[in-house]
Amino acid sequence: MDVKKVFKNNEAWIKEKLSKNPGYFEELGKGQNPELLFIGCSDSRVTAEELMGLGPGEVFVHRNIANMVISIDLNVMSVVNYAVNHLKVKDVVVCGHYECGGVKAAMQSEDLGILNPWLRNIRDVYRIHRKTLNAIPDESERYNRLVELNVQEQCVNLIKTAAVQKANRDRGLVVHGWVFDVHSGKLIDLNIDFDGYLKDIMEIYHLE
Ligand SMILES: [Zn+2]
């Protein structure tokens, strides 16, 4: 791919937008009012807005390796706080995907340098759900299940935060767990039991 092509693509995109709505960029310049926070993987196949059919201004996006929500990661925590407390998003989504290289790497014992502490958080998910995962004989099915369980645990990590607990109490904010199937393009709702996790988590992680 020629990087210069990006600028040509950009020109074509501007033309297309303006042909449909001459005031498109004037409206974009006024500010943003997204109702959804999307936390996804950095993987180039997980195209956030595109896979949901949403355009600029409609979704606040954060992406990192394996869509992790780590309490001491200032980056993801700043995004969550800004989106929930200031943009007042109504829903927060953690979206994982099958064939996730981050999840696969976490299952191998290779020393990956600076990635080790990041991937350790995925290994912790494996440890928590070891019995379920070890009972799955097929390796690729086991990876898929780990992708789903990782999404579930990152949702739990979100529910542990004061921002999410307060926004749920004050205005009914909800956390969702989804998986993007790269083989079919399908977005799958894991239907995580948000209320159940919230109730369970509050026993230990309740914040005033
Ligand atoms: Zn990934």
Side-chain angles (χ1 to χ4, degrees):
M1 191 194 72
D2 182 359
V3 184
K4 282 178 191 153
K5 195 172 168 248
V6 166
F7 292 91
K8 281 206 175 102
N9 290 347
N10 173 248
E11 274 171 35
W13 176 73
I14 292 169
K15 263 186 207 148
E16 191 218 322
K17 288 289 174 196
L18 290 177
S19 70
K20 284 181 188 152
N21 176 7
Y24 185 81
F25 293 103
E26 220 169 289
E27 280 162 33
L28 265 195
K30 283 179 189 158
Q32 60 169 339
N33 191 22
E35 295 188 348
L36 178 68
L37 166 60
F38 176 98
I39 299 170
C41 182
S42 296
D43 190 296
S44 61
R45 298 165 293 182
V46 183
T47 56
E49 293 95 332
E50 202 188 328
L51 69 88
M52 293 187 286
L54 300 176
E58 291 186 298
V59 55
F60 203 66
V61 175
H62 178 78
R63 290 167 69 181
N64 61 37
I65 292 175
N67 41 270
M68 303 301 287
V69 179
I70 297 166
S71 68
I72 54 164
D73 173 15
L74 199 52
N75 192 348
V76 72
M77 283 303 142
S78 301
V79 168
V80 169
N81 270 272
Y82 183 68
V84 172
N85 294 341
H86 297 276
L87 294 173
K88 309 254 182 242
V89 294
K90 291 177 181 161
D91 297 275
V92 182
V93 169
V94 176
C95 184
H97 68 104
Y98 298 134
E99 304 301 326
C100 183
V103 171
K104 275 197 177 161
M107 296 318 307
Q108 287 146 15
S109 50
E110 196 184 335
D111 180 356
L112 294 165
I114 191 68
L115 272 171
N116 292 339
W118 189 260
L119 298 177
R120 190 176 306 139
N121 294 286
I122 309 170
R123 292 191 175 113
D124 289 340
V125 174
Y126 197 103
R127 182 171 50 81
I128 295 167
H129 297 279
R130 186 169 26 186
K131 272 189 190 155
T132 309
L133 291 163
N134 286 346
I136 304 171
D138 183 75
E139 196 181 337
S140 79
E141 265 177 50
R142 196 159 65 238
Y143 278 138
N144 287 351
R145 190 67 191 124
L146 181 56
V147 164
E148 295 166 359
L149 290 169
N150 184 46
V151 167
Q152 180 186 305
E153 288 303 324
Q154 302 321 312
C155 289
V156 168
N157 286 341
L158 276 171
I159 300 168
K160 288 175 192 167
T161 67
V164 167
Q165 287 182 20
K166 277 182 194 151
N168 171 262
R169 198 169 52 213
D170 297 347
R171 54 190 183 81
L173 174 131
V174 179
V175 174
H176 310 266
W178 297 349
V179 171
F180 176 61
D181 183 355
V182 291
H183 300 290
S184 68
K186 236 191 178 156
L187 206 49
I188 300 155
D189 190 347
L190 296 176
N191 290 309
I192 64 149
D193 179 12
F194 176 74
D195 292 325
Y197 285 125
L198 189 66
K199 222 173 135 193
D200 191 40
I201 278 166
M202 285 301 220
E203 207 182 306
I204 299 168
Y205 300 91
H206 175 67
L207 299 167
E208 285 296 332

